[in-house]
mmCIF file of all heavy atoms in Angstrom:
data_model
loop_
_atom_site.group_PDB
_atom_site.id
_atom_site.type_symbol
_atom_site.label_atom_id
_atom_site.label_comp_id
_atom_site.label_asym_id
_atom_site.label_seq_id
_atom_site.Cartn_x
_atom_site.Cartn_y
_atom_site.Cartn_z
ATOM 1 N N ARG T 1 269.012 169.137 214.927
ATOM 2 C CA ARG T 1 269.154 167.649 214.921
ATOM 3 C C ARG T 1 267.867 166.954 215.084
ATOM 4 O O ARG T 1 266.964 167.500 215.813
ATOM 5 C CB ARG T 1 270.110 167.066 216.166
ATOM 6 C CG ARG T 1 271.528 167.599 216.090
ATOM 7 C CD ARG T 1 272.353 166.780 215.094
ATOM 8 N NE ARG T 1 273.625 167.221 214.958
ATOM 9 C CZ ARG T 1 274.713 166.709 214.338
ATOM 10 N NH1 ARG T 1 274.383 165.511 213.685
ATOM 11 N NH2 ARG T 1 275.809 167.226 214.037
ATOM 12 N N SER T 2 267.693 165.786 214.379
ATOM 13 C CA SER T 2 266.546 165.098 214.664
ATOM 14 C C SER T 2 266.690 164.121 215.830
ATOM 15 O O SER T 2 267.760 164.238 216.444
ATOM 16 C CB SER T 2 266.217 164.279 213.409
ATOM 17 O OG SER T 2 267.106 163.091 213.351
ATOM 18 N N ALA T 3 265.582 163.461 216.134
ATOM 19 C CA ALA T 3 265.725 162.574 217.326
ATOM 20 C C ALA T 3 266.766 161.485 217.059
ATOM 21 O O ALA T 3 267.327 160.914 218.017
ATOM 22 C CB ALA T 3 264.291 161.733 217.575
ATOM 23 N N HIS T 4 267.290 161.123 215.828
ATOM 24 C CA HIS T 4 268.207 160.113 215.650
ATOM 25 C C HIS T 4 269.519 160.793 215.183
ATOM 26 O O HIS T 4 270.395 160.174 214.651
ATOM 27 C CB HIS T 4 267.675 159.160 214.610
ATOM 28 C CG HIS T 4 266.660 158.479 215.231
ATOM 29 N ND1 HIS T 4 266.686 157.317 216.068
ATOM 30 C CD2 HIS T 4 265.314 158.537 214.886
ATOM 31 C CE1 HIS T 4 265.493 156.925 216.364
ATOM 32 N NE2 HIS T 4 264.694 157.544 215.755
ATOM 33 N N GLY T 5 269.778 161.971 215.543
ATOM 34 C CA GLY T 5 271.063 162.635 215.193
ATOM 35 C C GLY T 5 271.367 163.054 213.906
ATOM 36 O O GLY T 5 272.490 163.190 213.370
ATOM 37 N N GLN T 6 270.265 163.086 213.011
ATOM 38 C CA GLN T 6 270.472 163.522 211.662
ATOM 39 C C GLN T 6 270.412 164.940 211.465
ATOM 40 O O GLN T 6 269.438 165.650 212.080
ATOM 41 C CB GLN T 6 269.463 162.770 210.788
ATOM 42 C CG GLN T 6 269.559 161.220 210.849
ATOM 43 C CD GLN T 6 268.447 160.497 210.196
ATOM 44 O OE1 GLN T 6 267.290 160.935 210.477
ATOM 45 N NE2 GLN T 6 268.656 159.534 209.325
ATOM 46 N N THR T 7 271.070 165.540 210.616
ATOM 47 C CA THR T 7 271.037 166.926 210.200
ATOM 48 C C THR T 7 270.141 167.105 208.993
ATOM 49 O O THR T 7 269.935 166.176 208.192
ATOM 50 C CB THR T 7 272.419 167.539 209.926
ATOM 51 O OG1 THR T 7 273.053 166.893 208.938
ATOM 52 C CG2 THR T 7 273.331 167.541 211.238
ATOM 53 N N PRO T 8 269.620 168.225 208.779
ATOM 54 C CA PRO T 8 268.640 168.471 207.684
ATOM 55 C C PRO T 8 269.443 168.165 206.350
ATOM 56 O O PRO T 8 270.725 168.563 206.321
ATOM 57 C CB PRO T 8 268.365 169.994 207.706
ATOM 58 C CG PRO T 8 268.379 170.225 209.167
ATOM 59 C CD PRO T 8 269.496 169.422 209.681
ATOM 60 N N GLY T 9 268.885 167.497 205.363
ATOM 61 C CA GLY T 9 269.470 167.174 204.121
ATOM 62 C C GLY T 9 269.963 165.699 204.179
ATOM 63 O O GLY T 9 270.197 165.102 203.168
ATOM 64 N N GLN T 10 270.082 165.153 205.416
ATOM 65 C CA GLN T 10 270.362 163.745 205.520
ATOM 66 C C GLN T 10 269.087 162.922 205.358
ATOM 67 O O GLN T 10 267.956 163.373 205.576
ATOM 68 C CB GLN T 10 271.059 163.392 206.859
ATOM 69 C CG GLN T 10 272.515 163.942 206.781
ATOM 70 C CD GLN T 10 273.231 163.526 208.047
ATOM 71 O OE1 GLN T 10 272.680 163.654 209.152
ATOM 72 N NE2 GLN T 10 274.434 163.065 208.002
ATOM 73 N N PRO T 11 269.243 161.601 205.126
ATOM 74 C CA PRO T 11 268.027 160.679 205.061
ATOM 75 C C PRO T 11 267.195 160.791 206.293
ATOM 76 O O PRO T 11 267.657 160.708 207.483
ATOM 77 C CB PRO T 11 268.578 159.305 204.861
ATOM 78 C CG PRO T 11 270.047 159.626 204.420
ATOM 79 C CD PRO T 11 270.534 160.855 205.030
ATOM 80 N N ALA T 12 265.873 160.898 206.196
ATOM 81 C CA ALA T 12 264.934 160.930 207.375
ATOM 82 C C ALA T 12 264.537 159.538 207.683
ATOM 83 O O ALA T 12 263.457 159.103 207.379
ATOM 84 C CB ALA T 12 263.802 161.893 207.084
ATOM 85 N N PHE T 13 265.446 158.734 208.174
ATOM 86 C CA PHE T 13 265.223 157.371 208.556
ATOM 87 C C PHE T 13 264.367 157.284 209.778
ATOM 88 O O PHE T 13 264.681 157.958 210.806
ATOM 89 C CB PHE T 13 266.533 156.529 208.653
ATOM 90 C CG PHE T 13 267.148 156.286 207.372
ATOM 91 C CD1 PHE T 13 266.835 156.744 206.191
ATOM 92 C CD2 PHE T 13 268.444 155.589 207.516
ATOM 93 C CE1 PHE T 13 267.307 156.423 205.056
ATOM 94 C CE2 PHE T 13 269.059 155.265 206.376
ATOM 95 C CZ PHE T 13 268.671 155.749 205.010
ATOM 96 N N GLU T 14 263.339 156.618 209.750
ATOM 97 C CA GLU T 14 262.451 156.348 210.906
ATOM 98 C C GLU T 14 262.670 155.066 211.540
ATOM 99 O O GLU T 14 262.201 154.067 211.172
ATOM 100 C CB GLU T 14 260.985 156.366 210.500
ATOM 101 C CG GLU T 14 260.601 157.703 209.711
ATOM 102 C CD GLU T 14 259.223 157.565 209.020
ATOM 103 O OE1 GLU T 14 258.711 156.490 208.745
ATOM 104 O OE2 GLU T 14 258.806 158.736 208.573
ATOM 105 N N TYR T 15 263.670 154.991 212.525
ATOM 106 C CA TYR T 15 263.976 153.852 213.236
ATOM 107 C C TYR T 15 263.011 153.250 214.126
ATOM 108 O O TYR T 15 262.224 154.113 214.813
ATOM 109 C CB TYR T 15 265.402 154.057 213.974
ATOM 110 C CG TYR T 15 266.438 154.408 213.073
ATOM 111 C CD1 TYR T 15 266.851 155.855 212.791
ATOM 112 C CD2 TYR T 15 267.255 153.401 212.592
ATOM 113 C CE1 TYR T 15 267.940 156.066 211.830
ATOM 114 C CE2 TYR T 15 268.365 153.608 211.693
ATOM 115 C CZ TYR T 15 268.587 154.965 211.358
ATOM 116 O OH TYR T 15 269.605 155.300 210.564
ATOM 117 N N ASP T 16 262.828 152.011 214.123
ATOM 118 C CA ASP T 16 261.789 151.349 214.965
ATOM 119 C C ASP T 16 260.356 151.735 214.608
ATOM 120 O O ASP T 16 259.509 151.768 215.465
ATOM 121 C CB ASP T 16 262.015 151.551 216.457
ATOM 122 C CG ASP T 16 263.393 151.052 216.829
ATOM 123 O OD1 ASP T 16 264.036 150.220 216.213
ATOM 124 O OD2 ASP T 16 263.991 151.590 217.840
ATOM 125 N N ILE T 17 260.192 152.092 213.248
ATOM 126 C CA ILE T 17 258.845 152.435 212.727
ATOM 127 C C ILE T 17 258.496 151.540 211.652
ATOM 128 O O ILE T 17 259.375 151.423 210.720
ATOM 129 C CB ILE T 17 258.793 153.932 212.334
ATOM 130 C CG1 ILE T 17 259.102 155.023 213.455
ATOM 131 C CG2 ILE T 17 257.541 154.327 211.657
ATOM 132 C CD1 ILE T 17 257.948 154.962 214.552
ATOM 133 N N ASP T 18 257.316 151.020 211.658
ATOM 134 C CA ASP T 18 256.766 150.178 210.562
ATOM 135 C C ASP T 18 255.734 151.185 209.860
ATOM 136 O O ASP T 18 255.034 151.904 210.460
ATOM 137 C CB ASP T 18 256.166 148.934 211.097
ATOM 138 C CG ASP T 18 255.708 147.955 209.709
ATOM 139 O OD1 ASP T 18 256.197 148.334 208.654
ATOM 140 O OD2 ASP T 18 255.008 147.090 210.109
ATOM 141 N N ARG T 19 255.572 150.983 208.465
ATOM 142 C CA ARG T 19 254.483 151.688 207.773
ATOM 143 C C ARG T 19 253.793 150.549 206.996
ATOM 144 O O ARG T 19 253.984 150.536 205.785
ATOM 145 C CB ARG T 19 254.951 152.687 206.831
ATOM 146 C CG ARG T 19 255.492 154.068 207.658
ATOM 147 C CD ARG T 19 255.888 155.064 206.628
ATOM 148 N NE ARG T 19 256.212 156.364 207.312
ATOM 149 C CZ ARG T 19 255.440 157.327 207.562
ATOM 150 N NH1 ARG T 19 254.090 157.143 207.288
ATOM 151 N NH2 ARG T 19 255.773 158.320 208.217
ATOM 152 N N PRO T 20 252.942 149.686 207.595
ATOM 153 C CA PRO T 20 252.285 148.650 206.961
ATOM 154 C C PRO T 20 251.118 149.159 205.863
ATOM 155 O O PRO T 20 250.505 150.009 206.216
ATOM 156 C CB PRO T 20 251.717 147.836 208.056
ATOM 157 C CG PRO T 20 251.529 148.780 209.192
ATOM 158 C CD PRO T 20 252.577 149.749 209.133
ATOM 159 N N GLY T 21 251.107 148.334 204.784
ATOM 160 C CA GLY T 21 250.129 148.756 203.848
ATOM 161 C C GLY T 21 250.623 149.398 202.682
ATOM 162 O O GLY T 21 251.821 149.956 202.605
ATOM 163 N N SER T 22 249.818 149.452 201.581
ATOM 164 C CA SER T 22 250.148 150.171 200.313
ATOM 165 C C SER T 22 251.387 149.665 199.481
ATOM 166 O O SER T 22 252.037 150.268 198.776
ATOM 167 C CB SER T 22 250.339 151.729 200.623
ATOM 168 O OG SER T 22 249.128 152.345 201.066
ATOM 169 N N ASP T 23 251.702 148.341 199.764
ATOM 170 C CA ASP T 23 252.799 147.697 199.167
ATOM 171 C C ASP T 23 252.522 147.429 197.688
ATOM 172 O O ASP T 23 251.585 146.872 197.371
ATOM 173 C CB ASP T 23 253.117 146.411 199.907
ATOM 174 C CG ASP T 23 253.395 146.713 201.405
ATOM 175 O OD1 ASP T 23 254.232 147.462 201.727
ATOM 176 O OD2 ASP T 23 252.679 146.012 202.186
ATOM 177 N N TYR T 24 253.446 147.702 196.823
ATOM 178 C CA TYR T 24 253.332 147.372 195.476
ATOM 179 C C TYR T 24 254.730 146.519 194.954
ATOM 180 O O TYR T 24 254.605 145.876 193.936
ATOM 181 C CB TYR T 24 253.185 148.562 194.509
ATOM 182 C CG TYR T 24 254.381 149.329 194.282
ATOM 183 C CD1 TYR T 24 255.282 149.140 193.270
ATOM 184 C CD2 TYR T 24 254.607 150.444 195.187
ATOM 185 C CE1 TYR T 24 256.432 149.982 193.209
ATOM 186 C CE2 TYR T 24 255.877 151.206 195.044
ATOM 187 C CZ TYR T 24 256.589 150.919 193.954
ATOM 188 O OH TYR T 24 257.791 151.783 193.778
ATOM 189 N N LEU T 25 255.683 146.495 195.803
ATOM 190 C CA LEU T 25 256.841 145.671 195.421
ATOM 191 C C LEU T 25 257.650 145.435 196.720
ATOM 192 O O LEU T 25 257.705 146.226 197.602
ATOM 193 C CB LEU T 25 257.760 146.405 194.433
ATOM 194 C CG LEU T 25 258.905 145.690 193.922
ATOM 195 C CD1 LEU T 25 258.583 144.433 193.102
ATOM 196 C CD2 LEU T 25 259.691 146.600 193.018
ATOM 197 N N ASN T 26 258.115 144.164 196.792
ATOM 198 C CA ASN T 26 259.060 143.825 197.841
ATOM 199 C C ASN T 26 260.063 142.811 197.439
ATOM 200 O O ASN T 26 259.811 142.115 196.521
ATOM 201 C CB ASN T 26 258.343 143.267 199.241
ATOM 202 C CG ASN T 26 257.794 141.791 198.923
ATOM 203 O OD1 ASN T 26 258.547 140.927 199.293
ATOM 204 N ND2 ASN T 26 256.596 141.713 198.454
ATOM 205 N N PHE T 27 261.357 142.984 198.011
ATOM 206 C CA PHE T 27 262.475 142.129 197.586
ATOM 207 C C PHE T 27 263.491 141.952 198.612
ATOM 208 O O PHE T 27 263.636 142.766 199.584
ATOM 209 C CB PHE T 27 263.043 142.716 196.317
ATOM 210 C CG PHE T 27 263.394 144.187 196.388
ATOM 211 C CD1 PHE T 27 264.670 144.666 196.746
ATOM 212 C CD2 PHE T 27 262.453 145.144 196.106
ATOM 213 C CE1 PHE T 27 264.835 145.959 196.917
ATOM 214 C CE2 PHE T 27 262.697 146.515 196.200
ATOM 215 C CZ PHE T 27 263.880 146.955 196.588
ATOM 216 N N GLU T 28 264.218 140.875 198.402
ATOM 217 C CA GLU T 28 265.364 140.593 199.444
ATOM 218 C C GLU T 28 266.535 141.620 199.192
ATOM 219 O O GLU T 28 266.758 141.898 198.048
ATOM 220 C CB GLU T 28 265.776 139.146 199.462
ATOM 221 C CG GLU T 28 264.652 138.214 199.960
ATOM 222 C CD GLU T 28 265.164 136.727 199.809
ATOM 223 O OE1 GLU T 28 266.052 136.566 198.967
ATOM 224 O OE2 GLU T 28 264.770 136.046 200.621
ATOM 225 N N LEU T 29 267.248 141.811 200.277
ATOM 226 C CA LEU T 29 268.474 142.685 200.183
ATOM 227 C C LEU T 29 269.730 141.770 200.567
ATOM 228 O O LEU T 29 269.641 141.312 201.799
ATOM 229 C CB LEU T 29 268.461 143.886 200.974
ATOM 230 C CG LEU T 29 267.310 144.880 200.442
ATOM 231 C CD1 LEU T 29 267.394 146.080 201.496
ATOM 232 C CD2 LEU T 29 267.543 145.532 199.121
ATOM 233 N N SER T 30 270.603 141.520 199.681
ATOM 234 C CA SER T 30 271.739 140.702 200.314
ATOM 235 C C SER T 30 272.707 141.515 201.101
ATOM 236 O O SER T 30 273.491 141.006 201.926
ATOM 237 C CB SER T 30 272.659 140.113 199.165
ATOM 238 O OG SER T 30 272.985 141.310 198.240
ATOM 239 N N THR T 31 272.622 142.851 201.105
ATOM 240 C CA THR T 31 273.288 143.732 201.957
ATOM 241 C C THR T 31 272.304 144.353 203.011
ATOM 242 O O THR T 31 271.318 144.952 202.565
ATOM 243 C CB THR T 31 273.937 144.913 201.267
ATOM 244 O OG1 THR T 31 274.840 144.218 200.275
ATOM 245 C CG2 THR T 31 274.713 145.784 202.242
ATOM 246 N N ALA T 32 272.550 144.083 204.289
ATOM 247 C CA ALA T 32 271.549 144.586 205.229
ATOM 248 C C ALA T 32 271.758 146.155 205.487
ATOM 249 O O ALA T 32 272.417 146.383 206.538
ATOM 250 C CB ALA T 32 271.750 143.930 206.466
ATOM 251 N N ASP T 33 271.187 146.984 204.681
ATOM 252 C CA ASP T 33 271.373 148.409 204.652
ATOM 253 C C ASP T 33 270.162 149.200 204.321
ATOM 254 O O ASP T 33 269.701 149.091 203.126
ATOM 255 C CB ASP T 33 272.543 148.780 203.801
ATOM 256 C CG ASP T 33 272.812 150.223 203.874
ATOM 257 O OD1 ASP T 33 272.196 151.057 204.583
ATOM 258 O OD2 ASP T 33 273.881 150.658 203.201
ATOM 259 N N PRO T 34 269.598 149.878 205.139
ATOM 260 C CA PRO T 34 268.202 150.525 204.848
ATOM 261 C C PRO T 34 268.493 151.626 203.823
ATOM 262 O O PRO T 34 267.526 152.037 203.134
ATOM 263 C CB PRO T 34 267.633 151.121 206.113
ATOM 264 C CG PRO T 34 268.922 151.191 207.047
ATOM 265 C CD PRO T 34 269.773 150.027 206.610
ATOM 266 N N ALA T 35 269.626 152.169 203.625
ATOM 267 C CA ALA T 35 269.892 153.046 202.575
ATOM 268 C C ALA T 35 269.585 152.552 201.243
ATOM 269 O O ALA T 35 269.286 153.366 200.276
ATOM 270 C CB ALA T 35 271.342 153.591 202.671
ATOM 271 N N ILE T 36 269.745 151.252 200.951
ATOM 272 C CA ILE T 36 269.515 150.699 199.717
ATOM 273 C C ILE T 36 268.078 150.732 199.364
ATOM 274 O O ILE T 36 267.638 151.125 198.187
ATOM 275 C CB ILE T 36 270.017 149.191 199.654
ATOM 276 C CG1 ILE T 36 271.596 149.231 199.770
ATOM 277 C CG2 ILE T 36 269.602 148.515 198.328
ATOM 278 C CD1 ILE T 36 272.205 147.755 199.813
ATOM 279 N N CYS T 37 267.220 150.435 200.335
ATOM 280 C CA CYS T 37 265.849 150.525 200.278
ATOM 281 C C CYS T 37 265.316 151.966 199.986
ATOM 282 O O CYS T 37 264.589 152.219 199.114
ATOM 283 C CB CYS T 37 265.075 150.015 201.585
ATOM 284 S SG CYS T 37 263.314 149.603 201.311
ATOM 285 N N SER T 38 265.948 152.890 200.668
ATOM 286 C CA SER T 38 265.609 154.379 200.510
ATOM 287 C C SER T 38 265.992 154.742 199.127
ATOM 288 O O SER T 38 265.161 155.412 198.425
ATOM 289 C CB SER T 38 266.368 155.141 201.596
ATOM 290 O OG SER T 38 266.222 156.480 201.422
ATOM 291 N N ALA T 39 267.190 154.381 198.643
ATOM 292 C CA ALA T 39 267.535 154.803 197.369
ATOM 293 C C ALA T 39 266.733 154.214 196.210
ATOM 294 O O ALA T 39 266.414 154.874 195.184
ATOM 295 C CB ALA T 39 268.999 154.358 197.049
ATOM 296 N N GLN T 40 266.305 152.925 196.357
ATOM 297 C CA GLN T 40 265.403 152.383 195.479
ATOM 298 C C GLN T 40 264.040 153.012 195.335
ATOM 299 O O GLN T 40 263.572 153.220 194.235
ATOM 300 C CB GLN T 40 265.199 150.760 195.774
ATOM 301 C CG GLN T 40 264.550 150.083 194.671
ATOM 302 C CD GLN T 40 265.333 149.986 193.362
ATOM 303 O OE1 GLN T 40 266.579 149.866 193.332
ATOM 304 N NE2 GLN T 40 264.586 150.289 192.257
ATOM 305 N N CYS T 41 263.596 153.414 196.437
ATOM 306 C CA CYS T 41 262.316 154.168 196.363
ATOM 307 C C CYS T 41 262.429 155.479 195.626
ATOM 308 O O CYS T 41 261.630 155.907 194.929
ATOM 309 C CB CYS T 41 261.788 154.510 197.873
ATOM 310 S SG CYS T 41 260.337 155.469 197.985
ATOM 311 N N ALA T 42 263.600 156.104 195.988
ATOM 312 C CA ALA T 42 263.871 157.346 195.223
ATOM 313 C C ALA T 42 264.056 157.197 193.679
ATOM 314 O O ALA T 42 263.576 158.103 192.975
ATOM 315 C CB ALA T 42 265.197 158.040 195.802
ATOM 316 N N ALA T 43 264.423 156.028 193.249
ATOM 317 C CA ALA T 43 264.558 155.900 191.891
ATOM 318 C C ALA T 43 263.357 155.379 191.144
ATOM 319 O O ALA T 43 263.384 155.158 189.909
ATOM 320 C CB ALA T 43 265.667 154.928 191.589
ATOM 321 N N ASP T 44 262.389 154.926 191.930
ATOM 322 C CA ASP T 44 261.181 154.332 191.408
ATOM 323 C C ASP T 44 260.014 155.230 191.350
ATOM 324 O O ASP T 44 259.515 155.666 192.431
ATOM 325 C CB ASP T 44 260.788 153.043 192.208
ATOM 326 C CG ASP T 44 260.190 152.028 191.467
ATOM 327 O OD1 ASP T 44 260.418 151.844 190.205
ATOM 328 O OD2 ASP T 44 259.207 151.419 191.993
ATOM 329 N N ALA T 45 259.395 155.599 190.232
ATOM 330 C CA ALA T 45 258.423 156.651 190.001
ATOM 331 C C ALA T 45 257.213 156.382 190.940
ATOM 332 O O ALA T 45 256.826 157.326 191.678
ATOM 333 C CB ALA T 45 257.948 156.823 188.649
ATOM 334 N N PRO T 46 256.565 155.204 191.045
ATOM 335 C CA PRO T 46 255.391 155.087 191.981
ATOM 336 C C PRO T 46 255.586 155.072 193.369
ATOM 337 O O PRO T 46 254.644 155.204 194.281
ATOM 338 C CB PRO T 46 254.866 153.666 191.564
ATOM 339 C CG PRO T 46 255.673 153.185 190.337
ATOM 340 C CD PRO T 46 256.999 153.954 190.450
ATOM 341 N N CYS T 47 256.794 155.076 193.783
ATOM 342 C CA CYS T 47 257.137 154.871 195.285
ATOM 343 C C CYS T 47 256.863 156.394 196.017
ATOM 344 O O CYS T 47 257.411 157.311 195.552
ATOM 345 C CB CYS T 47 258.635 154.478 195.523
ATOM 346 S SG CYS T 47 258.922 154.011 197.226
#
């Protein structure tokens, strides 16, 4: 298990962690779900 109860193969979400800088795109999410942000990064080649 990870520190946040995740098993290997699940998303490695870093809770209460910011990674400022290197931004090339930002956008609003009408659904408050970090999984959408994670999935968008996975689908976007430069991310």
Side-chain angles (χ1 to χ4, degrees):
R1 297 275 173 175
S2 75
H4 294 285
Q6 295 167 314
T7 57
Q10 288 185 317
F13 287 1
E14 303 167 344
Y15 293 93
D16 300 337
I17 296 291
D18 189 13
R19 286 185 177 270
S22 301
D23 307 302
Y24 71 92
L25 182 65
N26 72 89
F27 49 91
E28 291 181 333
L29 296 174
S30 57
T31 302
D33 185 354
I36 296 174
C37 194
S38 174
Q40 189 59 44
C41 179
D44 207 37
C47 188

